Amino acid sequence: MITGVAGFIGSHLADRFIKEGYHVIGMDNLITGNLDNIAHLFPLKAFEYYHHDVSKFVHVPGELHYILHFASPASPIDYLRMPIQTLKVGSLGTHNLLGLAKSKKARILIASTSEVYGDPLVHPQREDYWGNVNPIGPRGVYDEAKRFQEAMTMAYHNYHGLETRIVRIFNTYGPRMRVEDGRVLPAFFSQAIRGEGLTVFGDGKQTRSFCYVDDLVEGIYRLLLSNYHLPVNLGNPSEITIMDFAHEILKLVNNPKAHIIHNPLPVDDPKQRQPDISLAKKILDWEPKVSRSEGLKLTYEYFRQVVKGDGNH
Ligand code: UDP
């Protein structure tokens, strides 16, 4: 079962598990998901869909072997718009799914995030770093829900002996990201294609490290089937400033009308972020294979289909 199945990562996970021969039950309440992402799965016998909010009691008939909990608003503007739902899906939703996993004797993998490290004082971030989070800042609703989620998951593991896995996901990109989700890559691609200003927040010196979705899915697949229950970072260590990232997208889209503009830096925006993936390398024999230039080309193919350009390029 995959929660958040109509979302960006959830839908790619569903594809992968179906390809591996699993029967997939997908769940979503579509507050940020989109059925277009999974429309191709509906005709398949191996796929079932439930429209449900996992913050409410979750009932699934029959056997269940694996649960992957990927339901949550995940972009800063989404969780600012839906702070209570964000807190609920990370806490109450996670509790419901842990309870379901316990009753079905299923293994559960929980989607955590690099946001548990907050605006990190240690660089790059290793799993044993405890983070620097402002609990009451605008990002607190997401960061603290995810930190609670990890604590709850470990409690079910330690107290009930539940088989649990925790992945800390760093910035990920690829086809099926929502055009209007506010995150940097959909924003820059859609602005470049439309011939608008790319909205660099602040001076653009803040850094992120972007992982192509296929690499992430491979890591999650390996982690689920591993026997490691503590949190594992998955991401691409190749770090770039947001300003340089804007230039990469300008060059790729090559729309003469597109240019760079500056908007204010959001409150508590992390200044730098780069995963230390030594643990994933060691226990999963995993590292990203898709370079940013390759991944951006693949993603551009998607965005040029879904974003209407200005017709001049
Ligand atoms: N950002 C930006 N312009 C945008 C959207 C985001 O400069 O239109 C910056 C944002 O301030 C942050 C980085 O890009 O430093 C990544 O933001 P995103 O919302 O994608 O995710 P985050 O990593 O902050 O959760």
Side-chain angles (χ1 to χ4, degrees), residues 31 50-51 90 98 123 135 162 171 185 212 230 240 266-268 275 298:
I31 60 169
Y50 289 79
H51 183 96
L98 288 165
H123 195 73
L162 194 69
N171 293 68
L185 181 137
Y212 189 66
L230 295 173
I240 185 170
V267 177
D268 294 340
L298 294 167

Side-chain angles (χ1 to χ4, degrees), residues 8 75-78 171-194 196-199 210 245 249 253 296 299-300 302-304 306-307:
F8 162 50
S75 104
I77 60 158
D78 284 339
N171 293 68
T172 301
Y173 71 97
R176 302 187 194 154
M177 290 187 94
R178 222 168 76 238
V179 175
E180 304 298 341
D181 92 345
R183 274 185 284 197
V184 67
L185 181 137
F188 285 179
F189 263 127
S190 52
Q191 291 156 346
I193 293 168
R194 291 177 185 137
E196 298 168 359
L198 274 64
T199 50
F210 297 97
F245 192 57
I249 292 184
V253 176
L296 284 181
T299 309
Y300 179 38
Y302 175 77
F303 278 98
R304 63 198 295 179
V306 295
V307 178

Side-chain angles (χ1 to χ4, degrees), residues 74-77 79 113-115 139 142-143 170-172 177 181-188 191 197-210 241-243 245-246 261-266 268-273:
S75 104
I77 60 158
Y79 49 77
T113 167
S114 54
E115 282 286 323
R139 288 174 177 255
Y142 184 67
D143 301 5
F170 284 65
N171 293 68
T172 301
M177 290 187 94
D181 92 345
R183 274 185 284 197
V184 67
L185 181 137
F188 285 179
Q191 291 156 346
L198 274 64
T199 50
V200 171
F201 294 167
D203 58 12
K205 288 199 181 125
Q206 69 273 33
T207 69
R208 294 295 184 273
S209 309
F210 297 97
T241 68
I242 294 302
M243 182 57 92
F245 192 57
I261 59 172
H262 288 272
N263 280 359
L265 191 67
D268 294 340
D269 196 287
K271 283 178 274 308
Q272 50 181 7
R273 187 184 285 154

Side-chain angles (χ1 to χ4, degrees), residues 5 20 33 41 44 138 174 187 193 246:
V5 74
E20 299 286 345
L41 300 179
L44 306 180
I193 293 168

Side-chain angles (χ1 to χ4, degrees), residues 126-138:
R126 282 163 45 117
E127 289 84 350
D128 54 9
Y129 175 51
W130 292 353
N132 177 37
V133 170
N134 174 4
I136 57 162

Side-chain angles (χ1 to χ4, degrees), residues 238-311:
S238 168
E239 187 181 8
I240 185 170
T241 68
I242 294 302
M243 182 57 92
D244 289 346
F245 192 57
H247 283 291
E248 285 190 356
I249 292 184
L250 278 179
K251 194 162 164 228
L252 180 60
V253 176
N254 193 24
N255 182 342
K257 283 195 191 155
H259 55 282
I260 287 176
I261 59 172
H262 288 272
N263 280 359
L265 191 67
V267 177
D268 294 340
D269 196 287
K271 283 178 274 308
Q272 50 181 7
R273 187 184 285 154
Q274 183 194 38
D276 181 321
I277 57 165
S278 332
L279 182 63
K281 275 187 186 156
K282 190 167 135 215
I283 61 163
L284 308 176
D285 190 24
W286 174 89
E287 64 183 319
K289 298 265 184 293
V290 182
S291 68
R292 196 171 53 246
S293 67
E294 214 180 320
L296 284 181
K297 272 190 213 135
L298 294 167
T299 309
Y300 179 38
E301 288 308 311
Y302 175 77
F303 278 98
R304 63 198 295 179
Q305 310 285 323
V306 295
V307 178
K308 246 177 109 46
D310 63 359

